[in-house]
Amino acid sequence: MSRLRDKVAIITGGARGMGASTARLFVREGARVVISDVLEDDGAALARELGTAARFVAHDVRDEAQWQQVLDTATDVFGPVDVLVNNAGVLVFRTLAETEKSEFERVIDINLLGTFLGVRIVGAHMLARGRGSIVNVSSVDGMKGANGLGAYSASKWGIRGLTRVAAMEYGHRGVRVNSIHPGGIDTAMGNPYSEARAEVNKRYAMVPLQRVGDADEVARTSLFLASDDSSYLCGAEIAVDGGMLTGQYYVGFPGAPGV
């Protein structure tokens, strides 16, 4: 397993969930990884688990100076950075009428501003080398609307637009920028009450695959975009959503199981 042999990656929000799955997979595929997160205990434990191929850095993605510290740690410990996965994010369930200004700003700052700072600071490092891959984690809610997710959807639509602009500005200089759009994924964010998988799957009966996704399934998509296997992808938007964006699967209609 060596699709990322000798590559150095930074993964934000890497302490748990999709970020942690991505860090584990990248190390298995030969990468050396800097895990960044505000969850210091979880991040440090993951770095210990992964051994000498990983390093954890406490990092608030809203802080420009901390971004530079993460980049400096990566280059000092492992060498020039080849891959950035902008995965850090938060979710707030509120209607627009109920959302406080401070809540909206926090979601935008972490999800969108944090992604922008990574694209700008780590991207500049990659541009100077003339190569690199940036994977921005958006959401299916960056491709559609969702009631109760006004701040989150706005941030994820913003990531989608930012990715397209970065792809245009960076691609001809050797740095590919793409986005992935997870649907429902069984993580602490997607399943905050740790419900059994069978119970969670009931809420996905109208998704073509009729189940929630795994963090590893998102990680494998990030691996593809980080690796040379995706060498001609730039500005791509990949939905990892079990078919959610194709439309609702109406149980009981012709073509449904048992009909």
Side-chain angles (χ1 to χ4, degrees), residues 208-229:
L209 291 189
Q210 298 188 329
R211 65 173 177 84
V212 71
D214 290 315
D216 285 347
E217 293 174 304
V218 180
R220 289 195 292 271
T221 306
S222 292
L223 170 64
F224 169 65
L225 291 175
S227 76
D228 295 338
D229 290 346

Side-chain angles (χ1 to χ4, degrees), residues 18-257:
M18 296 187 303
S21 291
T22 302
R24 291 186 177 100
L25 180 59
F26 278 22
V27 168
R28 290 199 300 270
E29 291 286 347
R32 290 158 292 168
V33 175
V34 170
I35 301 159
S36 91
D37 209 305
V38 294
L39 302 174
E40 297 187 32
D41 290 344
D42 290 342
L46 178 60
R48 288 194 298 271
E49 172 194 325
L50 296 177
T52 58
R55 180 67 62 92
F56 172 72
V57 180
H59 178 207
D60 183 337
V61 294
R62 298 170 291 185
D63 190 307
E64 191 169 4
Q66 290 186 30
W67 264 108
Q68 189 62 51
Q69 292 169 4
V70 171
L71 177 59
D72 289 345
T73 297
T75 56
D76 290 347
V77 175
F78 295 130
V81 176
D82 304 285
V83 178
L84 168 64
V85 180
N86 276 312
N87 171 74
V90 294
L91 175 67
V92 172
F93 287 104
R94 296 278 192 282
T95 66
L96 292 173
E98 295 169 335
T99 302
E100 299 291 338
K101 178 175 179 285
S102 60
E103 291 177 314
F104 193 92
E105 289 175 335
R106 177 173 177 267
V107 173
I108 294 294
D109 284 352
I110 293 172
N111 295 3
L112 181 54
L113 175 64
T115 297
F116 160 73
L117 290 174
V119 168
R120 186 170 71 81
I121 293 170
V122 181
H125 167 81
M126 292 177 174
L127 290 172
R129 302 180 65 223
R131 63 181 183 274
S133 175
I134 297 175
V135 181
N136 292 330
V137 180
S138 179
S139 169
V140 290
D141 295 312
M143 291 181 158
K144 65 177 182 61
N147 56 298
L149 293 177
Y152 183 76
S153 290
S155 71
K156 295 302 186 176
W157 275 88
I159 290 172
R160 185 183 180 191
L162 177 68
T163 300
R164 289 192 175 196
V165 173
M168 296 178 72
E169 295 183 359
Y170 288 15
H172 65 283
R173 299 176 64 184
V175 179
R176 298 183 297 105
V177 189
N178 297 286
S179 63
I180 61 176
H181 299 259
I185 306 298
D186 193 6
T187 63
M189 180 183 288
N191 182 13
Y193 303 110
S194 301
E195 294 179 87
R197 178 64 65 90
E199 289 301 310
V200 177
N201 284 344
K202 292 177 182 178
R203 295 197 293 275
Y204 291 85
M206 299 180 80
V207 173
L209 291 189
Q210 298 188 329
R211 65 173 177 84
V212 71
D214 290 315
D216 285 347
E217 293 174 304
V218 180
R220 289 195 292 271
T221 306
S222 292
L223 170 64
F224 169 65
L225 291 175
S227 76
D228 295 338
D229 290 346
S230 60
S231 58
Y232 201 54
L233 269 69
C234 190
E237 301 170 339
I238 301 179
V240 190
D241 67 346
M244 182 182 294
L245 289 174
T246 63
Q248 291 185 330
Y249 188 93
Y250 292 104
V251 178
F253 276 33

